[in-house]
Amino acid sequence: MKKTNNHLNLPSAKRYNLFVLMSTLWISTTHYSYAQQITEPQVSDKTKYQLELERQHKILIKQGEEIENLKRLIQNQNKNAKKDQKNTNTARQPSKNKVTKKNNKANPKVVNQPVGKAPPKTSTRIDVSAIPKLSTNISGVLTKAGTLIVEPRIGYSYTDTNRVFLDAYSFLPALVVGLIDLREIKRHTVIGSLGTRYGLTDRWEVDLKLSYVGRNDSQRSRPVSVGVSEDEIFTASGSDIGDIELSTRYQLNSGIDGGAIYVFNLVATVPTGTSPFDVDYVESTPGAVFPTELPTGSGYFSVQPSLTAIYPTDPGVLFGNISYGNNLGTDEDVGRVNPGDSIGLSFGLGLSLNERTSMSLSYSHKHVLKSKIDDVKIDGSELDIGQLVIGFSFNYSQQTNINLSLNIGVTDDAPDVRLNFRVPMVF
């Protein structure tokens, strides 16, 4: 059995061509593999960018969904608020103004329109109990219809003055013949009173005040023109009922338009206290005359109309008052005495500190004209009384307020200090 040789024998030319072909295939395959290795990182980076873009896109979509949820929540809240307001308005409307379902179907536009008539506007009521008395008699506080207010008051005033009394004839500016009296007066006055106010209507009230006055004066005098070497000290006092005051107030406008509220006031004083014309005087030393008793009343009738303006400016209240006092004449031993009339002006600001406490700051000035005896004017009887007023108010309860005011005299004719304490109680 013969052995067969399976080896392929090729010519040298063919072997060379085969070698070139295999070399070419190997080089091309190696280049493709190398190019594939180079392009793999680029494909990977692109994939990463796409993934990042997709992730950011998902975040934006989620945020958009959250924004839409917030919008829906706000819309639901607004709808609920409108429903509550609509239910409140519907509850306030009278039954005859209700709209039936049949009418709603016939005219669907009616649903979006207010139903019935708006409730009538009521007059504005301003609680200005913190405001001190705008003048001697005016407080500017109106009382509700059918309401009785009892107001106990107590006041104290102190005056310290130095005066020169001349009862002499002057021939030259430096030459005076007669009495020259240098006098220092210290005056203490306590006034306790009880006032009642009653509201006839919401815009009209009446007031009655009864008072008891206690006074004490200490005078130190030296008549220098008669050769007295020592001071003369004299003390006098007086206590009795004071003058009765009757007053009424009427609110002229309602103030519903947001403007100022005007109140007309009228006060009448009846001279029930001790008259200064009934007081006896004593002469301790030549030229030094002192009263034996101090008066507790004015001694004459008076009528004082006035106008009060109140303008609310949250959280404060602006107020002002202008008055004219007509003092009626009286017949006395010295003749027909006609006390001088007076012109008064007050203005200030009341400020609310919280729900129960408030304060005010105001200024009051009164000019008293000259008095007359038998139509002859008395020199030196003209007065200017100016006071700075600081007031405080505390709402102790719904029926009781506590008011305190401090008056500081800014002119020579005004008391140096005056304190007023009031406790209005509603019944």
Side-chain angles (χ1 to χ4, degrees), residues 321-336:
N321 174 269
I322 184 171
S323 63
Y324 180 83
N326 182 18
N327 300 322
L328 305 181
T330 177
D331 292 324
E332 303 297 337
D333 296 338
V334 296
R336 180 68 179 179

Side-chain angles (χ1 to χ4, degrees), residues 246-307:
L246 302 171
S247 61
T248 181
R249 304 175 186 88
Y250 183 77
Q251 183 175 329
L252 300 179
N253 62 329
S254 61
I256 60 176
D257 297 331
I261 294 178
Y262 298 97
V263 180
F264 175 77
N265 315 275
L266 182 63
V267 181
T269 303
V270 180
T272 55
T274 304
S275 173
F277 304 106
D278 297 334
V279 174
D280 296 329
Y281 290 83
V282 62
E283 185 176 4
S284 59
T285 60
V289 180
F290 299 96
T292 59
E293 183 185 1
L294 297 179
T296 60
S298 60
Y300 50 84
F301 290 88
S302 66
V303 178
Q304 178 177 286
S306 65
L307 181 65

Side-chain angles (χ1 to χ4, degrees), residues 19 125 261 355:
F19 175 76
R125 297 188 57 85
I261 294 178
E355 294 181 354

Side-chain angles (χ1 to χ4, degrees), residues 41-213:
Q42 294 179 357
V43 174
S44 177
D45 291 340
K46 183 177 180 181
T47 303
K48 289 181 180 180
Y49 293 153
Q50 291 179 351
L51 293 175
E52 182 66 20
L53 289 175
E54 291 178 358
R55 189 176 70 84
Q56 294 295 335
H57 182 66
K58 291 179 181 180
I59 292 174
L60 291 176
I61 292 174
K62 187 176 181 180
Q63 290 179 350
E65 293 176 353
E66 293 178 354
I67 292 173
E68 292 296 330
N69 292 332
L70 290 175
K71 288 183 179 179
R72 295 191 196 98
L73 180 61
I74 293 173
Q75 291 176 356
N76 292 332
Q77 291 179 351
N78 293 335
K79 290 180 180 179
N80 293 333
K82 290 181 180 179
K83 289 181 180 179
D84 295 339
Q85 184 177 5
K86 184 177 179 181
N87 293 334
T88 303
N89 294 333
T90 304
R92 292 180 179 177
Q93 302 302 324
S95 58
K96 64 180 181 180
N97 290 330
K98 293 183 179 179
V99 179
T100 61
K101 294 182 178 179
K102 184 177 180 179
N103 292 333
N104 289 336
K105 293 180 179 179
N107 188 9
K109 294 183 179 179
V110 178
V111 178
N112 296 328
Q113 296 179 355
V115 180
K117 296 182 180 180
K121 295 183 179 179
T122 57
S123 59
T124 303
R125 297 188 57 85
I126 301 176
D127 183 11
V128 288
S129 59
I131 300 176
K133 295 167 70 78
L134 300 179
S135 63
T136 305
N137 305 307
I138 307 304
S139 62
V141 181
L142 295 182
T143 306
K144 189 177 179 180
T147 303
L148 176 66
I149 296 180
V150 178
E151 184 176 310
R153 317 173 189 177
I154 185 170
Y156 167 78
S157 65
Y158 171 75
T159 304
D160 185 359
T161 60
N162 296 315
R163 296 183 180 180
V164 178
F165 294 89
L166 297 178
D167 186 8
Y169 298 94
S170 177
F171 297 96
L172 296 174
L175 179 60
V176 177
V177 177
L179 176 63
I180 303 176
D181 185 9
L182 301 179
R183 187 170 299 184
E184 179 184 11
I185 303 175
K186 294 184 178 180
R187 179 168 297 164
H188 301 266
T189 304
V190 177
I191 302 176
S193 62
L194 180 65
T196 57
R197 297 200 305 271
Y198 183 77
L200 300 177
T201 65
D202 286 344
R203 298 170 64 173
W204 186 18
E205 71 175 18
V206 292
D207 188 358
L208 170 66
K209 188 178 78 170
L210 306 176
S211 61
Y212 189 87
V213 181

